[in-house]
Amino acid sequence: MNNFRFTKIIAGVSPILAKETVLSKIINMVDAFRITLSKGYDDNNKKYIDTIMKLDNSKTIILETKGIDIRMKNTCNFPIKKGEKWTMEYSEYAQEGTSKIYIDYPALGNLKENTIITCEQSNTSFKILSTEEDTAQVEVLSAGNWEILQYDRINFDALDNKDEALTEKDKKDILWGLEYGAHVIGLACSNSAKHVESAKEFLDQNNAKEMKVFAKIETTSWLQNFKEILKTADGIILVANVLEKLNPAKKLNTLIQSVKAEGKPVLITYTNRDYEKPFLKSFGKEMQELAQEHIDGIMLETFLIEDQVFDVIEKAGDILWNHELKYEYQEIERFKTSNEFEVRDYIIYNAFRSIEEFWIKTTICFTENGYTASRYSSLGPKIPIITFTQSKDTYRYLSLVRGVKGYKISQSFNYENLKKIGKEMIRMIFKGNISLDDKILILQANETLNPVKTDMINGIEFYNFKNI
């Protein structure tokens, strides 16, 4: 097979990456783009989306809401050294001075001694020595790039989101995304099923009922509510390094397996990425294990140095592809299903079992809401899944599902049309490296056959490539 990469790369948009000269070099290596409103680039994000869509309007834009957004309030950058002691003070408003570190967290004085506070973009961490009212005495544990950046995002141990309903800040972020062309919502600091449900209800109220919501798991509340969140969300974003700190006993691969058992996509991200040379070494080590769990995508942090962009993305793609080549089929149990999806799950499961038995080269899949493609993909087939949908929201969602190449079709296309188009897509993906007798599996899985589409299959069919 040709160089088909299964794991998706989602690049974080920044002023550096959004330059048209930079973006044009890497856009074909990236599957989707991530706008993170907590990064502080709000004023320019519309321009970034326009630039991406101008170069390739098939790309998916994930909009991450701010969630818990605590900020430094210093208005300028200033140097810092490991071992230094500083006073950190609460301030609601921006401060020009550099004699103290100001943050907009009113309960600063309630934090416990030895709590670790991090500045995400500065890659700097502090340990609390003592607190009093709205101040804390802190020591610099790591100085990162030896500089504190103005308005940097603050995080710390035990930071949590207690709002189960959608906050006004979340609503504002989502409305911004709907206005400016985002395709998928990444709901930051997801803490309960109700939080995710309220986001979906808000989308429905704003004429975006089919828009997908990925729950970003990064706070302590997920420990109690992860299973409920998983059943409600369309996909999951795991902040790997944060979760490892919150609960070291809860292994990342166990969480990934839980998401896959529900037939949903899982994206992995890390905070405080440094794209210097050690990054590729650590990234390769991480992906060696995660590729075997057939994660759907890896989310890269924003780039701050232009010369790093092409090299990092190109090498990250090569690392993913090399590890995928070593992936072996694993024994799977018949997955548990609810009565709601009993027939469709049975069809999907048997399609997967047929891959090795019949030496299937690729699958053509039809889906309305993305369920069939994501459930089939979650089993880890080692073949491309060419997927057709009539829904624009599902089409964007498919860009985030492992091994799936999605295509949008019109409402008038029938089964025979789709087979012909599928054959052409296979030629494009395999670039001629396919024989006339190679086996193709066609899959559609519904509980009942839609009477309007009487020529569509409900099950699986096998064809030689020449006979499609």
Side-chain angles (χ1 to χ4, degrees), residues 82-121:
K82 182 177 180 180
E84 286 183 342
K85 293 181 174 59
W86 285 80
T87 297
M88 194 171 282
E89 183 174 307
Y90 164 66
S91 177
E92 182 181 355
Y93 305 103
Q95 301 283 350
E96 293 182 0
T98 59
S99 60
K100 296 180 181 179
I101 299 172
Y102 297 97
I103 68 172
D104 61 351
Y105 183 64
L108 182 61
N110 296 332
L111 295 179
K112 296 179 181 179
E113 290 183 16
N114 298 318
T115 295
I116 305 300
I117 297 177
T118 59
C119 301
E120 291 189 355
Q121 290 170 274

Side-chain angles (χ1 to χ4, degrees), residues 172-213:
K172 182 180 177 181
D173 291 347
I174 290 172
L175 288 174
W176 186 95
L178 292 176
E179 181 179 358
Y180 291 120
H183 307 119
V184 174
I185 297 298
L187 189 62
C189 302
S190 300
N191 61 20
S192 67
K194 181 179 280 189
H195 191 212
V196 179
E197 287 168 357
S198 62
K200 291 191 168 187
E201 289 170 2
F202 186 71
L203 287 169
D204 189 8
Q205 293 165 8
N206 287 277
N207 301 313
K209 182 178 181 180
E210 302 303 321
M211 196 173 191
K212 305 297 185 182
V213 176

Side-chain angles (χ1 to χ4, degrees), residues 51-269:
T51 304
I52 293 168
M53 292 295 104
K54 174 185 173 183
L55 292 179
D56 187 347
N57 63 10
S58 70
K59 298 300 180 184
T60 294
I61 305 292
I62 304 177
L63 180 81
E64 281 190 21
T65 60
K66 290 188 181 75
I68 303 171
D69 192 36
I70 299 171
R71 292 279 171 181
M72 278 188 54
K73 303 304 289 187
N74 298 74
T75 59
C76 61
N77 302 352
F78 53 91
I80 200 163
K81 294 181 181 178
K82 182 177 180 180
E84 286 183 342
K85 293 181 174 59
W86 285 80
T87 297
M88 194 171 282
E89 183 174 307
Y90 164 66
S91 177
E92 182 181 355
Y93 305 103
Q95 301 283 350
E96 293 182 0
T98 59
S99 60
K100 296 180 181 179
I101 299 172
Y102 297 97
I103 68 172
D104 61 351
Y105 183 64
L108 182 61
N110 296 332
L111 295 179
K112 296 179 181 179
E113 290 183 16
N114 298 318
T115 295
I116 305 300
I117 297 177
T118 59
C119 301
E120 291 189 355
Q121 290 170 274
S122 307
N123 198 21
T124 301
S125 63
F126 304 85
K127 179 175 70 174
I128 290 184
L129 303 176
S130 63
T131 60
E132 183 179 353
E133 295 183 353
D134 57 0
T135 65
Q137 302 304 314
V138 299
E139 179 182 350
V140 181
L141 291 183
S142 62
N145 299 321
W146 311 104
E147 186 179 39
I148 289 287
L149 302 179
Q150 60 179 326
Y151 302 119
D152 201 350
R153 192 184 190 200
I154 302 295
N155 209 329
F156 52 81
D157 297 350
L159 182 63
D160 208 351
N161 175 21
K162 302 299 184 183
D163 297 308
E164 288 196 336
L166 205 64
T167 65
E168 291 304 313
K169 185 163 55 178
D170 287 334
K171 291 177 182 178
K172 182 180 177 181
D173 291 347
I174 290 172
L175 288 174
W176 186 95
L178 292 176
E179 181 179 358
Y180 291 120
H183 307 119
V184 174
I185 297 298
L187 189 62
C189 302
S190 300
N191 61 20
S192 67
K194 181 179 280 189
H195 191 212
V196 179
E197 287 168 357
S198 62
K200 291 191 168 187
E201 289 170 2
F202 186 71
L203 287 169
D204 189 8
Q205 293 165 8
N206 287 277
N207 301 313
K209 182 178 181 180
E210 302 303 321
M211 196 173 191
K212 305 297 185 182
V213 176
F214 277 60
K216 188 179 181 186
I217 309 297
E218 54 187 326
T219 67
T220 53
S221 291
W222 77 273
L223 292 168
Q224 294 80 31
N225 302 323
F226 182 68
K227 289 183 179 179
E228 290 74 17
I229 294 171
L230 179 54
K231 290 184 181 300
T232 308
D234 299 300
I236 297 292
I237 301 171
L238 297 177
V239 188
N241 57 320
V242 172
L243 297 181
E244 287 166 359
K245 288 181 181 179
L246 289 176
N247 186 8
K250 197 78 169 178
K251 299 300 181 183
L252 187 62
N253 60 349
T254 302
L255 295 175
I256 295 168
Q257 289 163 14
S258 297
V259 180
K260 290 297 178 180
E262 287 291 325
K264 295 183 178 181
V266 56
L267 308 177
I268 304 296
T269 187

Side-chain angles (χ1 to χ4, degrees), residues 416-438:
E416 290 304 317
N417 293 141
L418 292 172
K419 285 195 294 184
K420 290 176 183 178
I421 296 173
K423 190 171 186 176
E424 293 307 311
M425 296 304 104
I426 292 170
R427 284 198 177 101
M428 290 173 58
I429 288 174
F430 286 89
K431 299 177 182 177
N433 186 22
I434 188 165
S435 73
L436 294 176
D437 292 324
D438 278 333

